[in-house]
Short mmCIF file of all heavy atoms in Angstrom, two decimals:
data_model
loop_
_atom_site.label_atom_id
_atom_site.label_comp_id
_atom_site.label_asym_id
_atom_site.label_seq_id
_atom_site.Cartn_x
_atom_site.Cartn_y
_atom_site.Cartn_z
N LEU A 2 2.35 -20.28 4.32
CA LEU A 2 2.12 -18.96 3.74
C LEU A 2 2.60 -17.90 4.72
O LEU A 2 2.22 -17.92 5.88
CB LEU A 2 0.63 -18.77 3.45
CG LEU A 2 0.22 -17.40 2.92
CD1 LEU A 2 0.77 -17.17 1.53
CD2 LEU A 2 -1.28 -17.27 2.93
N VAL A 3 3.46 -17.03 4.23
CA VAL A 3 3.98 -15.93 5.06
C VAL A 3 3.59 -14.62 4.39
O VAL A 3 3.79 -14.45 3.19
CB VAL A 3 5.52 -16.02 5.19
CG1 VAL A 3 6.08 -14.79 5.86
CG2 VAL A 3 5.92 -17.27 5.94
N GLU A 4 3.04 -13.70 5.18
CA GLU A 4 2.69 -12.37 4.68
C GLU A 4 3.33 -11.34 5.59
O GLU A 4 3.16 -11.40 6.81
CB GLU A 4 1.17 -12.19 4.65
CG GLU A 4 0.47 -13.16 3.74
CD GLU A 4 -1.04 -13.04 3.78
OE1 GLU A 4 -1.59 -12.86 4.88
OE2 GLU A 4 -1.65 -13.11 2.71
N VAL A 5 4.09 -10.42 5.01
CA VAL A 5 4.73 -9.38 5.79
C VAL A 5 4.46 -8.01 5.17
O VAL A 5 4.27 -7.90 3.96
CB VAL A 5 6.26 -9.59 5.96
CG1 VAL A 5 6.55 -10.84 6.76
CG2 VAL A 5 6.96 -9.65 4.63
N LYS A 6 4.46 -7.01 6.02
CA LYS A 6 4.28 -5.63 5.58
C LYS A 6 5.66 -5.00 5.42
O LYS A 6 6.48 -5.06 6.34
CB LYS A 6 3.46 -4.87 6.61
CG LYS A 6 3.10 -3.46 6.20
CD LYS A 6 2.19 -2.82 7.23
CE LYS A 6 1.79 -1.45 6.81
NZ LYS A 6 0.59 -1.44 5.99
N VAL A 7 5.91 -4.43 4.25
CA VAL A 7 7.21 -3.83 3.94
C VAL A 7 6.96 -2.53 3.18
O VAL A 7 6.05 -2.46 2.36
CB VAL A 7 8.05 -4.76 3.05
CG1 VAL A 7 9.45 -4.21 2.87
CG2 VAL A 7 8.12 -6.17 3.60
N GLY A 8 7.77 -1.53 3.44
CA GLY A 8 7.66 -0.29 2.68
C GLY A 8 8.15 -0.49 1.25
O GLY A 8 9.32 -0.77 1.03
N LEU A 9 7.25 -0.38 0.31
CA LEU A 9 7.58 -0.54 -1.11
C LEU A 9 7.47 0.83 -1.77
O LEU A 9 6.42 1.21 -2.25
CB LEU A 9 6.62 -1.54 -1.78
CG LEU A 9 6.56 -2.92 -1.15
CD1 LEU A 9 5.42 -3.73 -1.75
CD2 LEU A 9 7.88 -3.64 -1.31
N HIS A 10 8.57 1.57 -1.76
CA HIS A 10 8.54 2.96 -2.21
C HIS A 10 8.69 3.11 -3.72
O HIS A 10 8.10 3.99 -4.31
CB HIS A 10 9.64 3.76 -1.51
CG HIS A 10 9.58 3.63 -0.02
ND1 HIS A 10 8.60 4.21 0.73
CD2 HIS A 10 10.37 2.94 0.84
CE1 HIS A 10 8.79 3.90 2.00
NE2 HIS A 10 9.85 3.13 2.09
N CYS A 11 9.49 2.25 -4.33
CA CYS A 11 9.78 2.41 -5.75
C CYS A 11 10.15 1.05 -6.35
O CYS A 11 10.27 0.06 -5.64
CB CYS A 11 10.93 3.39 -5.95
SG CYS A 11 12.48 2.82 -5.22
N ASP A 12 10.37 1.03 -7.65
CA ASP A 12 10.73 -0.22 -8.32
C ASP A 12 12.06 -0.77 -7.83
O ASP A 12 12.25 -1.98 -7.78
CB ASP A 12 10.76 -0.01 -9.84
CG ASP A 12 9.36 0.16 -10.43
OD1 ASP A 12 8.38 -0.24 -9.75
OD2 ASP A 12 9.24 0.69 -11.53
N GLU A 13 12.99 0.12 -7.46
CA GLU A 13 14.28 -0.35 -6.94
C GLU A 13 14.09 -1.10 -5.63
O GLU A 13 14.74 -2.12 -5.38
CB GLU A 13 15.25 0.82 -6.75
CG GLU A 13 15.98 1.23 -8.00
CD GLU A 13 16.75 0.09 -8.65
OE1 GLU A 13 17.52 -0.61 -7.97
OE2 GLU A 13 16.55 -0.12 -9.87
N CYS A 14 13.21 -0.59 -4.76
CA CYS A 14 12.90 -1.28 -3.49
C CYS A 14 12.39 -2.68 -3.79
O CYS A 14 12.80 -3.65 -3.16
CB CYS A 14 11.84 -0.53 -2.71
SG CYS A 14 12.35 1.05 -2.04
N ILE A 15 11.47 -2.76 -4.73
CA ILE A 15 10.85 -4.05 -5.05
C ILE A 15 11.90 -5.01 -5.60
O ILE A 15 11.93 -6.18 -5.22
CB ILE A 15 9.68 -3.85 -6.03
CG1 ILE A 15 8.57 -3.07 -5.33
CG2 ILE A 15 9.17 -5.19 -6.55
CD1 ILE A 15 7.47 -2.59 -6.25
N LYS A 16 12.78 -4.52 -6.46
CA LYS A 16 13.85 -5.37 -7.01
C LYS A 16 14.74 -5.92 -5.90
O LYS A 16 15.09 -7.10 -5.91
CB LYS A 16 14.71 -4.59 -8.01
CG LYS A 16 14.06 -4.39 -9.35
CD LYS A 16 14.99 -3.63 -10.27
CE LYS A 16 14.31 -3.18 -11.53
NZ LYS A 16 15.14 -2.32 -12.35
N LYS A 17 15.11 -5.06 -4.95
CA LYS A 17 15.96 -5.50 -3.84
C LYS A 17 15.25 -6.56 -3.00
O LYS A 17 15.85 -7.56 -2.59
CB LYS A 17 16.34 -4.31 -2.94
CG LYS A 17 17.42 -3.42 -3.52
CD LYS A 17 17.66 -2.21 -2.65
CE LYS A 17 18.51 -2.55 -1.44
NZ LYS A 17 18.93 -1.34 -0.70
N ILE A 18 13.97 -6.34 -2.76
CA ILE A 18 13.19 -7.28 -1.95
C ILE A 18 13.08 -8.63 -2.66
O ILE A 18 13.31 -9.68 -2.05
CB ILE A 18 11.80 -6.69 -1.64
CG1 ILE A 18 11.95 -5.56 -0.62
CG2 ILE A 18 10.84 -7.76 -1.14
CD1 ILE A 18 10.71 -4.72 -0.45
N LEU A 19 12.76 -8.61 -3.93
CA LEU A 19 12.61 -9.87 -4.67
C LEU A 19 13.93 -10.61 -4.75
O LEU A 19 13.98 -11.84 -4.61
CB LEU A 19 12.06 -9.60 -6.07
CG LEU A 19 10.62 -9.11 -6.12
CD1 LEU A 19 10.20 -8.80 -7.55
CD2 LEU A 19 9.67 -10.12 -5.49
N LYS A 20 15.02 -9.89 -4.94
CA LYS A 20 16.34 -10.51 -5.00
C LYS A 20 16.67 -11.20 -3.67
O LYS A 20 17.18 -12.31 -3.64
CB LYS A 20 17.39 -9.45 -5.33
CG LYS A 20 18.76 -10.02 -5.59
CD LYS A 20 19.72 -8.92 -6.03
CE LYS A 20 21.11 -9.47 -6.26
NZ LYS A 20 22.05 -8.43 -6.65
N ALA A 21 16.34 -10.54 -2.57
CA ALA A 21 16.61 -11.11 -1.24
C ALA A 21 15.73 -12.34 -1.00
O ALA A 21 16.21 -13.36 -0.49
CB ALA A 21 16.37 -10.06 -0.16
N ILE A 22 14.47 -12.26 -1.37
CA ILE A 22 13.54 -13.37 -1.13
C ILE A 22 13.94 -14.60 -1.94
O ILE A 22 13.83 -15.73 -1.45
CB ILE A 22 12.09 -12.93 -1.44
CG1 ILE A 22 11.62 -11.94 -0.38
CG2 ILE A 22 11.16 -14.13 -1.49
CD1 ILE A 22 10.30 -11.31 -0.67
N LYS A 23 14.41 -14.39 -3.16
CA LYS A 23 14.79 -15.52 -4.02
C LYS A 23 15.88 -16.38 -3.38
O LYS A 23 16.00 -17.55 -3.68
CB LYS A 23 15.30 -15.01 -5.37
CG LYS A 23 14.23 -14.49 -6.28
CD LYS A 23 14.86 -14.00 -7.56
CE LYS A 23 13.89 -13.16 -8.37
NZ LYS A 23 14.50 -12.61 -9.58
N LYS A 24 16.67 -15.78 -2.49
CA LYS A 24 17.78 -16.51 -1.87
C LYS A 24 17.34 -17.39 -0.70
O LYS A 24 18.11 -18.21 -0.22
CB LYS A 24 18.84 -15.52 -1.38
CG LYS A 24 19.51 -14.79 -2.52
CD LYS A 24 20.53 -13.80 -2.01
CE LYS A 24 21.15 -13.02 -3.16
NZ LYS A 24 22.08 -12.00 -2.68
N ILE A 25 16.10 -17.23 -0.23
CA ILE A 25 15.61 -18.04 0.88
C ILE A 25 15.40 -19.47 0.39
O ILE A 25 14.80 -19.68 -0.66
CB ILE A 25 14.29 -17.47 1.44
CG1 ILE A 25 14.48 -16.03 1.92
CG2 ILE A 25 13.77 -18.35 2.59
CD1 ILE A 25 13.18 -15.35 2.31
N GLU A 26 15.88 -20.43 1.17
CA GLU A 26 15.71 -21.83 0.79
C GLU A 26 14.27 -22.27 1.02
O GLU A 26 13.59 -21.76 1.90
CB GLU A 26 16.65 -22.72 1.62
CG GLU A 26 18.10 -22.56 1.23
CD GLU A 26 18.98 -23.51 2.00
OE1 GLU A 26 18.52 -24.61 2.35
OE2 GLU A 26 20.14 -23.14 2.26
N ASP A 27 13.84 -23.24 0.25
CA ASP A 27 12.54 -23.90 0.41
C ASP A 27 11.33 -23.01 0.16
O ASP A 27 10.26 -23.28 0.70
CB ASP A 27 12.42 -24.55 1.80
CG ASP A 27 13.45 -25.66 2.01
OD1 ASP A 27 13.84 -26.28 1.00
OD2 ASP A 27 13.85 -25.89 3.15
N ILE A 28 11.49 -21.94 -0.62
CA ILE A 28 10.31 -21.17 -0.98
C ILE A 28 9.73 -21.74 -2.27
O ILE A 28 10.46 -22.28 -3.10
CB ILE A 28 10.57 -19.65 -1.13
CG1 ILE A 28 11.56 -19.36 -2.25
CG2 ILE A 28 11.00 -19.05 0.18
CD1 ILE A 28 11.60 -17.90 -2.62
N GLU A 29 8.43 -21.64 -2.40
CA GLU A 29 7.77 -22.12 -3.61
C GLU A 29 7.38 -20.96 -4.51
O GLU A 29 7.72 -20.93 -5.69
CB GLU A 29 6.54 -22.95 -3.25
CG GLU A 29 6.90 -24.24 -2.54
CD GLU A 29 5.70 -24.96 -1.96
OE1 GLU A 29 4.55 -24.61 -2.31
OE2 GLU A 29 5.91 -25.87 -1.14
N THR A 30 6.68 -19.98 -3.94
CA THR A 30 6.29 -18.81 -4.72
C THR A 30 6.47 -17.57 -3.87
O THR A 30 6.54 -17.64 -2.64
CB THR A 30 4.80 -18.88 -5.15
OG1 THR A 30 3.98 -18.87 -4.00
CG2 THR A 30 4.50 -20.12 -5.98
N TYR A 31 6.55 -16.44 -4.54
CA TYR A 31 6.61 -15.16 -3.83
C TYR A 31 5.94 -14.11 -4.70
O TYR A 31 5.91 -14.23 -5.92
CB TYR A 31 8.05 -14.76 -3.49
CG TYR A 31 8.98 -14.78 -4.67
CD1 TYR A 31 9.15 -13.65 -5.45
CD2 TYR A 31 9.67 -15.93 -5.02
CE1 TYR A 31 9.99 -13.66 -6.55
CE2 TYR A 31 10.52 -15.95 -6.11
CZ TYR A 31 10.67 -14.82 -6.87
OH TYR A 31 11.49 -14.83 -7.95
N ASN A 32 5.38 -13.12 -4.03
CA ASN A 32 4.66 -12.08 -4.76
C ASN A 32 4.73 -10.79 -3.95
O ASN A 32 4.87 -10.83 -2.74
CB ASN A 32 3.21 -12.51 -4.98
CG ASN A 32 2.51 -11.65 -6.03
OD1 ASN A 32 3.16 -10.91 -6.77
ND2 ASN A 32 1.21 -11.75 -6.08
N VAL A 33 4.62 -9.68 -4.64
CA VAL A 33 4.64 -8.37 -3.99
C VAL A 33 3.36 -7.65 -4.38
O VAL A 33 3.02 -7.58 -5.57
CB VAL A 33 5.87 -7.56 -4.45
CG1 VAL A 33 5.80 -6.14 -3.92
CG2 VAL A 33 7.15 -8.23 -4.00
N ASP A 34 2.66 -7.13 -3.39
CA ASP A 34 1.48 -6.30 -3.64
C ASP A 34 1.87 -4.87 -3.31
O ASP A 34 1.92 -4.47 -2.15
CB ASP A 34 0.31 -6.76 -2.79
CG ASP A 34 -0.98 -6.05 -3.16
OD1 ASP A 34 -0.92 -4.84 -3.50
OD2 ASP A 34 -2.05 -6.68 -3.10
N LYS A 35 2.18 -4.11 -4.35
CA LYS A 35 2.69 -2.74 -4.17
C LYS A 35 1.65 -1.84 -3.51
O LYS A 35 1.99 -0.99 -2.69
CB LYS A 35 3.11 -2.20 -5.53
CG LYS A 35 3.90 -0.93 -5.48
CD LYS A 35 4.40 -0.55 -6.86
CE LYS A 35 5.20 0.72 -6.83
NZ LYS A 35 5.72 1.07 -8.16
N GLN A 36 0.38 -2.02 -3.84
CA GLN A 36 -0.66 -1.16 -3.28
C GLN A 36 -0.82 -1.36 -1.78
O GLN A 36 -1.07 -0.42 -1.05
CB GLN A 36 -1.99 -1.42 -3.98
CG GLN A 36 -2.02 -0.87 -5.39
CD GLN A 36 -3.37 -1.08 -6.04
OE1 GLN A 36 -4.04 -2.07 -5.80
NE2 GLN A 36 -3.77 -0.12 -6.87
N LEU A 37 -0.67 -2.60 -1.32
CA LEU A 37 -0.84 -2.89 0.10
C LEU A 37 0.47 -2.89 0.89
O LEU A 37 0.46 -3.08 2.10
CB LEU A 37 -1.52 -4.27 0.27
CG LEU A 37 -2.94 -4.40 -0.23
CD1 LEU A 37 -3.42 -5.83 -0.08
CD2 LEU A 37 -3.87 -3.45 0.49
N ASN A 38 1.62 -2.70 0.18
CA ASN A 38 2.93 -2.81 0.82
C ASN A 38 3.07 -4.18 1.48
O ASN A 38 3.48 -4.31 2.63
CB ASN A 38 3.17 -1.71 1.85
CG ASN A 38 3.45 -0.38 1.20
OD1 ASN A 38 4.09 -0.33 0.16
ND2 ASN A 38 2.97 0.68 1.79
N LYS A 39 2.74 -5.21 0.73
CA LYS A 39 2.67 -6.56 1.26
C LYS A 39 3.53 -7.50 0.43
O LYS A 39 3.51 -7.44 -0.80
CB LYS A 39 1.21 -7.01 1.22
CG LYS A 39 0.91 -8.34 1.83
CD LYS A 39 -0.60 -8.57 1.76
CE LYS A 39 -1.05 -9.74 2.55
NZ LYS A 39 -2.52 -9.89 2.50
N VAL A 40 4.30 -8.35 1.12
CA VAL A 40 5.08 -9.39 0.47
C VAL A 40 4.50 -10.73 0.91
O VAL A 40 4.29 -10.96 2.10
CB VAL A 40 6.57 -9.30 0.84
CG1 VAL A 40 7.35 -10.48 0.29
CG2 VAL A 40 7.17 -7.99 0.34
N ILE A 41 4.22 -11.60 -0.06
CA ILE A 41 3.62 -12.89 0.21
C ILE A 41 4.58 -13.97 -0.26
O ILE A 41 5.02 -13.97 -1.41
CB ILE A 41 2.27 -13.03 -0.53
CG1 ILE A 41 1.34 -11.88 -0.15
CG2 ILE A 41 1.62 -14.38 -0.25
CD1 ILE A 41 0.40 -11.47 -1.22
N VAL A 42 4.93 -14.89 0.65
CA VAL A 42 5.86 -15.97 0.33
C VAL A 42 5.21 -17.29 0.73
O VAL A 42 4.68 -17.41 1.83
CB VAL A 42 7.20 -15.80 1.09
CG1 VAL A 42 8.16 -16.91 0.73
CG2 VAL A 42 7.82 -14.45 0.80
N THR A 43 5.26 -18.29 -0.17
CA THR A 43 4.77 -19.62 0.19
C THR A 43 5.93 -20.59 0.15
O THR A 43 6.89 -20.41 -0.59
CB THR A 43 3.65 -20.11 -0.74
OG1 THR A 43 4.16 -20.20 -2.07
CG2 THR A 43 2.46 -19.19 -0.70
N GLY A 44 5.81 -21.64 0.94
CA GLY A 44 6.85 -22.66 1.00
C GLY A 44 7.17 -23.00 2.44
O GLY A 44 6.46 -22.59 3.37
N ASN A 45 8.25 -23.72 2.63
CA ASN A 45 8.67 -24.13 3.97
C ASN A 45 9.53 -23.02 4.56
O ASN A 45 10.75 -23.13 4.62
CB ASN A 45 9.43 -25.46 3.88
CG ASN A 45 9.75 -26.01 5.25
OD1 ASN A 45 9.13 -25.63 6.25
ND2 ASN A 45 10.72 -26.89 5.31
N VAL A 46 8.87 -21.95 4.99
CA VAL A 46 9.57 -20.76 5.47
C VAL A 46 8.73 -20.13 6.59
O VAL A 46 7.51 -20.25 6.58
CB VAL A 46 9.82 -19.77 4.30
CG1 VAL A 46 8.52 -19.26 3.74
CG2 VAL A 46 10.72 -18.64 4.71
N THR A 47 9.40 -19.49 7.53
CA THR A 47 8.68 -18.85 8.63
C THR A 47 8.64 -17.33 8.42
O THR A 47 9.47 -16.77 7.69
CB THR A 47 9.34 -19.12 9.99
OG1 THR A 47 10.63 -18.51 10.00
CG2 THR A 47 9.47 -20.62 10.25
N THR A 48 7.71 -16.70 9.09
CA THR A 48 7.61 -15.24 9.04
C THR A 48 8.92 -14.62 9.51
O THR A 48 9.41 -13.66 8.91
CB THR A 48 6.44 -14.76 9.93
OG1 THR A 48 5.23 -15.38 9.47
CG2 THR A 48 6.29 -13.26 9.89
N GLU A 49 9.50 -15.19 10.56
CA GLU A 49 10.75 -14.65 11.12
C GLU A 49 11.88 -14.70 10.10
O GLU A 49 12.67 -13.77 10.01
CB GLU A 49 11.14 -15.41 12.39
CG GLU A 49 10.21 -15.17 13.57
CD GLU A 49 8.89 -15.93 13.47
OE1 GLU A 49 8.81 -16.93 12.72
OE2 GLU A 49 7.92 -15.50 14.13
N GLU A 50 11.95 -15.79 9.33
CA GLU A 50 13.00 -15.90 8.30
C GLU A 50 12.87 -14.80 7.25
O GLU A 50 13.85 -14.18 6.87
CB GLU A 50 12.91 -17.26 7.59
CG GLU A 50 13.50 -18.42 8.35
CD GLU A 50 13.37 -19.70 7.55
OE1 GLU A 50 12.24 -20.24 7.49
OE2 GLU A 50 14.37 -20.12 6.96
N VAL A 51 11.65 -14.60 6.78
CA VAL A 51 11.42 -13.59 5.74
C VAL A 51 11.76 -12.20 6.28
O VAL A 51 12.45 -11.42 5.62
CB VAL A 51 9.96 -13.65 5.23
CG1 VAL A 51 9.68 -12.52 4.26
CG2 VAL A 51 9.68 -15.00 4.58
N ILE A 52 11.30 -11.90 7.49
CA ILE A 52 11.58 -10.60 8.09
C ILE A 52 13.08 -10.40 8.27
O ILE A 52 13.62 -9.34 7.96
CB ILE A 52 10.83 -10.44 9.42
CG1 ILE A 52 9.32 -10.30 9.14
CG2 ILE A 52 11.34 -9.25 10.22
CD1 ILE A 52 8.45 -10.31 10.37
N ARG A 53 13.78 -11.43 8.74
CA ARG A 53 15.22 -11.33 8.96
C ARG A 53 15.96 -11.04 7.65
O ARG A 53 16.85 -10.17 7.59
CB ARG A 53 15.74 -12.62 9.60
CG ARG A 53 17.19 -12.54 10.05
CD ARG A 53 17.62 -13.73 10.90
NE ARG A 53 17.29 -15.02 10.30
CZ ARG A 53 16.45 -15.91 10.81
NH1 ARG A 53 15.82 -15.66 11.94
NH2 ARG A 53 16.22 -17.06 10.20
N VAL A 54 15.58 -11.74 6.58
CA VAL A 54 16.23 -11.52 5.28
C VAL A 54 15.98 -10.09 4.79
O VAL A 54 16.89 -9.43 4.28
CB VAL A 54 15.73 -12.56 4.25
CG1 VAL A 54 16.09 -12.15 2.83
CG2 VAL A 54 16.30 -13.93 4.57
N LEU A 55 14.76 -9.62 4.94
CA LEU A 55 14.45 -8.26 4.47
C LEU A 55 15.16 -7.21 5.31
O LEU A 55 15.64 -6.21 4.78
CB LEU A 55 12.93 -8.04 4.48
CG LEU A 55 12.15 -8.91 3.48
CD1 LEU A 55 10.66 -8.72 3.65
CD2 LEU A 55 12.58 -8.60 2.06
N GLN A 56 15.25 -7.45 6.63
CA GLN A 56 15.95 -6.48 7.49
C GLN A 56 17.44 -6.43 7.19
O GLN A 56 18.05 -5.37 7.26
CB GLN A 56 15.69 -6.81 8.96
CG GLN A 56 14.28 -6.44 9.38
CD GLN A 56 13.94 -6.81 10.81
OE1 GLN A 56 14.61 -7.62 11.43
NE2 GLN A 56 12.89 -6.21 11.34
N LYS A 57 18.02 -7.57 6.81
CA LYS A 57 19.44 -7.58 6.41
C LYS A 57 19.67 -6.70 5.19
O LYS A 57 20.75 -6.18 4.98
CB LYS A 57 19.90 -9.01 6.07
CG LYS A 57 20.28 -9.83 7.25
CD LYS A 57 20.84 -11.16 6.78
CE LYS A 57 21.13 -12.08 7.95
NZ LYS A 57 21.62 -13.39 7.49
N ASN A 58 18.61 -6.54 4.38
CA ASN A 58 18.70 -5.72 3.18
C ASN A 58 18.20 -4.30 3.43
O ASN A 58 17.88 -3.58 2.49
CB ASN A 58 17.92 -6.38 2.04
CG ASN A 58 18.69 -7.52 1.44
OD1 ASN A 58 19.49 -7.32 0.54
ND2 ASN A 58 18.48 -8.72 1.96
N GLY A 59 18.09 -3.92 4.68
CA GLY A 59 17.74 -2.55 5.02
C GLY A 59 16.26 -2.22 4.96
O GLY A 59 15.87 -1.06 4.95
N LYS A 60 15.42 -3.25 4.91
CA LYS A 60 13.98 -3.03 4.83
C LYS A 60 13.35 -3.30 6.18
O LYS A 60 13.64 -4.30 6.82
CB LYS A 60 13.34 -3.95 3.78
CG LYS A 60 13.66 -3.53 2.38
CD LYS A 60 13.12 -2.18 2.18
CE LYS A 60 13.11 -1.64 0.83
NZ LYS A 60 12.67 -0.25 0.86
N ASN A 61 12.46 -2.42 6.59
CA ASN A 61 11.72 -2.63 7.83
C ASN A 61 10.50 -3.48 7.51
O ASN A 61 9.60 -3.03 6.82
CB ASN A 61 11.31 -1.27 8.42
CG ASN A 61 10.64 -1.44 9.77
OD1 ASN A 61 10.84 -2.45 10.44
ND2 ASN A 61 9.85 -0.46 10.16
N ALA A 62 10.49 -4.72 7.99
CA ALA A 62 9.39 -5.64 7.72
C ALA A 62 8.74 -6.06 9.02
O ALA A 62 9.40 -6.27 10.03
CB ALA A 62 9.93 -6.86 6.98
N THR A 63 7.42 -6.17 9.00
CA THR A 63 6.67 -6.61 10.17
C THR A 63 5.65 -7.65 9.72
O THR A 63 5.23 -7.66 8.56
CB THR A 63 5.94 -5.43 10.84
OG1 THR A 63 5.08 -4.81 9.88
CG2 THR A 63 6.90 -4.41 11.40
N PRO A 64 5.24 -8.52 10.64
CA PRO A 64 4.22 -9.51 10.26
C PRO A 64 2.95 -8.80 9.79
O PRO A 64 2.58 -7.76 10.33
CB PRO A 64 3.95 -10.28 11.56
CG PRO A 64 5.16 -10.04 12.40
CD PRO A 64 5.68 -8.68 12.02
N TRP A 65 2.31 -9.36 8.80
CA TRP A 65 1.06 -8.79 8.28
C TRP A 65 -0.03 -9.12 9.28
O TRP A 65 -0.27 -10.27 9.61
CB TRP A 65 0.73 -9.39 6.92
CG TRP A 65 -0.47 -8.77 6.31
CD1 TRP A 65 -1.75 -9.22 6.37
CD2 TRP A 65 -0.51 -7.54 5.57
NE1 TRP A 65 -2.58 -8.35 5.71
CE2 TRP A 65 -1.85 -7.33 5.22
CE3 TRP A 65 0.47 -6.62 5.19
CZ2 TRP A 65 -2.25 -6.21 4.48
CZ3 TRP A 65 0.08 -5.52 4.46
CH2 TRP A 65 -1.26 -5.32 4.10
N GLU A 66 -0.72 -8.10 9.74
CA GLU A 66 -1.81 -8.29 10.69
C GLU A 66 -3.11 -8.43 9.91
O GLU A 66 -3.51 -7.50 9.23
CB GLU A 66 -1.90 -7.11 11.67
CG GLU A 66 -0.69 -6.95 12.55
CD GLU A 66 -0.48 -8.13 13.49
OE1 GLU A 66 -1.47 -8.77 13.89
OE2 GLU A 66 0.69 -8.40 13.81
N GLN A 67 -3.72 -9.57 10.04
CA GLN A 67 -5.01 -9.78 9.38
C GLN A 67 -6.05 -8.88 10.03
O GLN A 67 -5.98 -8.61 11.22
CB GLN A 67 -5.44 -11.23 9.51
CG GLN A 67 -4.56 -12.20 8.78
CD GLN A 67 -4.66 -12.09 7.26
OE1 GLN A 67 -5.62 -11.54 6.74
NE2 GLN A 67 -3.68 -12.58 6.56
N ASP A 68 -7.00 -8.45 9.26
CA ASP A 68 -8.10 -7.69 9.82
C ASP A 68 -8.96 -8.66 10.63
O ASP A 68 -9.58 -9.56 10.09
CB ASP A 68 -8.93 -7.06 8.69
CG ASP A 68 -10.06 -6.18 9.21
OD1 ASP A 68 -10.15 -6.00 10.45
OD2 ASP A 68 -10.83 -5.69 8.39
N LEU A 69 -8.95 -8.48 11.94
CA LEU A 69 -9.62 -9.42 12.82
C LEU A 69 -11.10 -9.10 13.03
O LEU A 69 -11.76 -9.77 13.79
CB LEU A 69 -8.89 -9.48 14.17
CG LEU A 69 -7.44 -9.93 14.09
CD1 LEU A 69 -6.79 -9.88 15.46
CD2 LEU A 69 -7.33 -11.32 13.51
N GLN A 70 -11.59 -8.08 12.35
CA GLN A 70 -13.01 -7.74 12.47
C GLN A 70 -13.82 -8.83 11.76
O GLN A 70 -13.51 -9.22 10.65
CB GLN A 70 -13.31 -6.39 11.81
CG GLN A 70 -12.61 -5.23 12.48
CD GLN A 70 -13.10 -5.02 13.90
OE1 GLN A 70 -14.28 -5.16 14.16
NE2 GLN A 70 -12.20 -4.70 14.80
N PRO A 71 -14.88 -9.31 12.42
CA PRO A 71 -15.71 -10.32 11.74
C PRO A 71 -16.36 -9.72 10.50
O PRO A 71 -16.77 -8.56 10.51
CB PRO A 71 -16.75 -10.71 12.79
CG PRO A 71 -16.66 -9.70 13.87
CD PRO A 71 -15.35 -8.96 13.73
N GLN A 72 -16.43 -10.51 9.47
CA GLN A 72 -17.05 -10.06 8.23
C GLN A 72 -18.56 -10.09 8.39
O GLN A 72 -19.11 -11.05 8.94
CB GLN A 72 -16.63 -10.95 7.06
CG GLN A 72 -15.14 -10.90 6.77
CD GLN A 72 -14.68 -9.51 6.40
OE1 GLN A 72 -15.33 -8.84 5.61
NE2 GLN A 72 -13.57 -9.09 6.96
N PRO A 73 -19.27 -9.05 7.93
CA PRO A 73 -20.73 -9.07 8.05
C PRO A 73 -21.31 -10.21 7.23
O PRO A 73 -20.86 -10.48 6.11
CB PRO A 73 -21.16 -7.72 7.50
CG PRO A 73 -19.98 -7.14 6.82
CD PRO A 73 -18.76 -7.87 7.30
N GLN A 74 -22.26 -10.89 7.79
CA GLN A 74 -22.90 -12.00 7.10
C GLN A 74 -24.05 -11.45 6.24
O GLN A 74 -24.81 -10.60 6.70
CB GLN A 74 -23.46 -13.01 8.11
CG GLN A 74 -22.39 -13.67 8.95
CD GLN A 74 -21.43 -14.49 8.11
OE1 GLN A 74 -21.83 -15.18 7.20
NE2 GLN A 74 -20.15 -14.37 8.40
N PRO A 75 -24.17 -11.95 5.02
CA PRO A 75 -25.27 -11.48 4.19
C PRO A 75 -26.61 -11.95 4.77
O PRO A 75 -26.69 -13.01 5.36
CB PRO A 75 -25.01 -12.12 2.84
CG PRO A 75 -24.07 -13.24 3.10
CD PRO A 75 -23.33 -12.91 4.35
N ASN A 76 -27.62 -11.12 4.61
CA ASN A 76 -28.95 -11.50 5.07
C ASN A 76 -29.54 -12.52 4.12
O ASN A 76 -29.49 -12.36 2.91
CB ASN A 76 -29.87 -10.28 5.16
CG ASN A 76 -29.42 -9.31 6.21
OD1 ASN A 76 -28.79 -9.69 7.19
ND2 ASN A 76 -29.73 -8.05 6.02
N CYS A 77 -30.11 -13.59 4.69
CA CYS A 77 -30.70 -14.64 3.85
C CYS A 77 -32.15 -14.37 3.57
O CYS A 77 -32.85 -13.84 4.33
CB CYS A 77 -30.56 -16.00 4.53
SG CYS A 77 -28.85 -16.49 4.72
#
C-alpha cells in the first residue's frame, strides 16, 4: 500500500494523475481522495515509484505522513 500527498486542484489534475498511475506496472488498485489531496495505490509498487511517476507529470508528490499521535483509548 502506497499513500502519497499530491495537490489535487481540479478534475484535469486528477485525470492526469490517474492516467500516469495506470501506467505503473504491478498495481492492483488506485484511488484518489480529493478532500485529503491523497493518492492511494496498492500492488507491488514503492512510494518512490509513485512519486517519480507523478513528478514526471509535473505534480509535486510527497510520502503521506501518518498522524503519529496515539489515539485516545475509550474508557472502559
